[in-house]
Amino acid sequence: MNHATETRKPSLLTVEDAKQMSVADTAEAFNHHMNPGQYHFLKLLGFHEVLIDSAEGMYYTDRNGRKILDFFGGFGSLACGHNHPRILAARKQFQEELRHEIAIAFMSQYAAALSSNLASIAPEDLDMVFLGSTGSEAVEAALKLAEQVQGPERAKIAYATHSFHGKTRGALSVTDSEFYQSGFHLIENRVRVPFGDAAALESLLAGDTAVGILILETVQGGAGIVGAEPGYWTEVRRLCDRYKVIWIADEVQCGVGRTGKFFAFEHFGVCPDIVTLAKSLGGGKTAMGAMIARRPLYMKAYGDPKTALIHGPATFGGIGEACCTAIEALNVLYDENLVENSALSGAYLLERLQQVQEKYPKILKEVRGQGLMLGIEFQDFSQTLVPGLKQLVSVLDNRLKGSLCGFVGSLLLRKYDILVAFTEYNRNVIRLEPPLIVSREQIDTFVNALDDLLSRGVTRIVADYARNAIRPG
Ligand SMILES: Cc1ncc(COP(=O)(O)O)c(C=O)c1O
């Protein structure tokens, strides 16, 4: 008797099937197997009608051949733009040469080269690199390393108001958001300090010797592009030295040239003890995160054979093609002067946005930021929308109510084929983090579209949004 059981192949979609999926089929699979609540928001914004078939440089192209100008940039993940030809070529060559991916048994020349590149870019003795896949993973690695160095007596973590560091448990514990945190068991050994307030930091560190770790975004992205005064950072360095606190700079969003320097902290002439990177490190083609630590800290925590394996290697840490992609992305960044372009184009975009803000002060409260990490803050209309519109909008969705950003972002896509980003903590802020390859003409296209839209006035913007949102289909 034959006991071999036959494994029947379930009904699986092929890659070709995936490529051919319609908007409706994609929506159905998304709703049934991914995130129906998120679909609700995509629908509110009109993003649910768009199925992207390809992307190149500054543009997405959808199923109908419509080109969408990308000023969102994957929250800063696309420094080199979409599908940069040099990055594609490096990946293709890697595949054709049948290079190995998993770097857990043997050393990987790609992981080693990427680590040494990051050490060359990073100042002072930020020389030791841990490679992972995401920003959260880089933050976890940083927090764990700092805890190992400080020991249990000094493992209390200070983090900032309105911070965002990720959604894994450690990163979430230092993310200042009840919305993300509630219902989860978090690291208890932590304390919150006001962002940008050196006096508050000093009184915390002077009064609580258990605080041995400080984590700060150099520019707060999730808070709506919020920076601190330059003097704050010199104080952070001085205080961390004085009280022997390990300073972790989370540059997952603001690093890799985003603000016009490779690291945002370089604007202030200071250097943290550990820095985290992700997003654009993957060249817009892959998931890549990194933690870079000062050598003495790393050596103290994991520097000998007994401790070397405590936090690494991870199964997919330093995976081949991702490292190869990141190596090429870093070379592209410098060869094409993208960090300089970020500074120059960012200054131009900010100046043009300031002109728009001066033209519509009743609609726009402030424009701010540095390099190509800019925020447009709208006035708060939650209390002032004319009653009829307020009611209509609240029927559509409570979370968009009074936030002109949602309406403006939705209309920028629907009417002008431009994509922008929203903000978790402050729904009155639109975030602009376009690829660092953006040209003056593309900046003009964006600013002119915004100007044209705002010239319609608040009531017509909301009415236009509502008309589009309740359109059948
Ligand atoms: C500053 C910062 N840190 C960490 C993260 C988490 O990165 P990831 O989503 O790759 O886990 C983000 C994501 O937006 C971020 O902006």
Side-chain angles (χ1 to χ4, degrees):
M1 214 167 100
N2 184 0
H3 288 289
T5 53
E6 196 185 324
T7 307
R8 217 166 40 81
K9 185 179 180 186
S11 149
L12 298 181
L13 295 167
T14 63
V15 173
E16 196 52 34
D17 294 334
K19 215 160 84 182
Q20 303 296 343
M21 269 165 91
S22 66
V23 175
D25 289 346
T26 308
E28 174 153 331
F30 189 93
N31 262 321
H32 280 92
H33 304 295
M34 291 180 68
N35 196 331
Q38 187 188 354
Y39 185 73
H40 169 79
F41 289 115
L42 294 176
K43 219 167 153 185
L44 276 173
L45 294 167
F47 288 21
H48 68 304
E49 296 165 340
V50 181
L51 204 54
I52 299 301
D53 269 346
S54 62
E56 201 177 345
M58 283 293 299
Y59 294 93
Y60 287 103
T61 304
D62 86 350
R63 179 62 51 91
N64 306 313
R66 171 187 176 200
K67 283 179 85 178
I68 296 168
L69 182 60
D70 186 5
F71 266 66
F72 179 132
F75 290 130
S77 301
L78 285 153
C80 301
H82 295 272
N83 283 313
H84 192 288
R86 269 182 58 183
I87 296 175
L88 291 187
R91 288 168 67 87
K92 191 161 173 241
Q93 189 175 349
F94 182 93
Q95 289 166 7
E96 283 172 359
E97 290 171 356
L98 300 180
R99 297 285 171 172
H100 74 288
E101 289 286 4
I102 306 295
I104 206 161
F106 304 107
M107 290 184 298
S108 156
Q109 56 274 55
Y110 293 96
L114 175 60
S115 302
S116 83
N117 281 352
L118 289 171
S120 298
I121 294 168
E124 299 190 10
D125 55 354
L126 286 170
D127 280 345
M128 300 303 286
V129 179
F130 168 85
L131 297 173
S133 304
T134 64
S136 301
E137 201 182 348
V139 168
E140 296 294 339
L143 292 172
K144 283 182 70 183
L145 171 62
E147 186 175 345
Q148 280 288 307
V149 172
Q150 296 293 39
E153 302 299 315
R154 301 213 56 227
K156 192 166 183 177
I157 310 164
Y159 65 101
T161 46
H162 299 124
S163 57
F164 184 85
H165 296 289
K167 294 179 183 172
T168 52
R169 199 173 302 268
L172 180 64
S173 300
V174 291
T175 286
D176 177 30
S177 163
E178 216 185 301
F179 172 69
Y180 292 128
Q181 289 181 337
S182 68
F184 295 106
H185 183 79
L186 301 170
I187 296 173
E188 280 164 18
N189 205 10
R190 70 201 152 97
V191 56
R192 194 175 55 168
V193 274
F195 182 68
D197 184 340
L201 181 63
E202 174 138 40
S203 81
L204 171 73
L205 299 185
D208 188 349
T209 52
V211 178
I213 304 165
L214 171 68
I215 182 163
L216 297 167
E217 290 158 271
T218 318
V219 180
Q220 292 190 316
I225 317 296
V226 177
E229 291 298 317
Y232 174 68
W233 298 106
T234 18
E235 278 300 279
V236 166
R237 184 64 276 170
R238 185 184 71 79
L239 294 170
C240 287
D241 287 341
R242 172 154 186 211
Y243 294 100
K244 303 210 174 342
V245 170
I246 294 175
W247 167 22
I248 302 167
D250 182 351
E251 299 230 352
V252 164
Q253 193 166 149
C254 64
V256 195
R258 179 64 30 205
T259 66
K261 302 259 187 209
F262 187 91
F263 296 107
F265 60 73
E266 292 175 284
H267 289 288
F268 313 115
V270 288
C271 181
D273 302 306
I274 302 177
V275 59
T276 55
L277 295 174
K279 296 197 188 274
S280 276
L281 195 55
K285 285 306 284 181
T286 192
M288 172 59 70
M291 174 209 68
I292 314 170
R294 287 187 189 269
R295 188 175 175 80
L297 295 186
Y298 183 92
M299 294 310 284
K300 185 167 176 201
Y302 308 132
D304 69 51
K306 281 207 272 310
T307 54
L309 305 183
I310 291 175
H311 189 81
T315 310
F316 293 124
I319 191 163
E321 192 172 326
C323 290
C324 164
T325 307
I327 292 168
E328 191 64 9
L330 289 175
N331 278 278
V332 166
L333 197 80
Y334 287 98
D335 292 344
E336 298 191 358
N337 298 319
L338 297 184
V339 183
E340 283 84 352
N341 194 50
S342 173
L344 296 174
S345 299
Y348 177 68
L349 175 55
L350 184 62
E351 188 190 319
R352 290 231 44 207
L353 288 173
Q354 276 157 349
Q355 290 158 2
V356 176
Q357 194 271 329
E358 280 161 22
K359 204 165 158 187
Y360 307 104
K362 292 198 171 130
I363 303 180
L364 298 185
K365 188 171 166 195
E366 189 185 39
V367 293
R368 56 174 176 260
Q370 196 163 16
L372 286 166
M373 186 171 184
L374 300 177
I376 307 175
E377 179 153 2
F378 287 68
Q379 301 287 2
D380 187 351
F381 290 94
S382 52
Q383 305 307 319
T384 52
L385 276 183
V386 289
L389 284 178
K390 201 168 170 181
Q391 201 184 3
L392 172 60
V393 169
S394 67
V395 170
L396 293 168
D397 190 84
N398 261 325
R399 292 191 67 180
L400 288 187
K401 184 168 63 176
S403 154
L404 206 62
C405 285
F407 312 139
V408 168
S410 173
L411 289 171
L412 279 172
L413 182 69
R414 283 188 148 126
K415 284 175 170 278
Y416 302 90
D417 300 330
I418 295 173
L419 182 65
V420 294
F422 306 104
T423 294
E424 290 101 303
Y425 289 120
N426 187 343
R427 295 198 172 267
N428 291 322
V429 178
I430 279 181
R431 268 188 277 179
L432 305 176
E433 300 186 32
L436 307 185
I437 57 171
V438 67
S439 68
R440 296 271 161 128
E441 294 73 44
Q442 288 153 344
I443 288 175
D444 288 340
T445 302
F446 167 73
V447 177
N448 294 342
L450 182 69
D451 189 352
D452 188 53
L453 183 55
L454 298 185
S455 74
R456 301 172 73 76
V458 175
T459 307
R460 278 181 66 196
I461 290 172
V462 179
D464 271 6
Y465 165 79
R467 197 174 313 117
N468 276 286
I470 54 180
R471 208 178 50 193

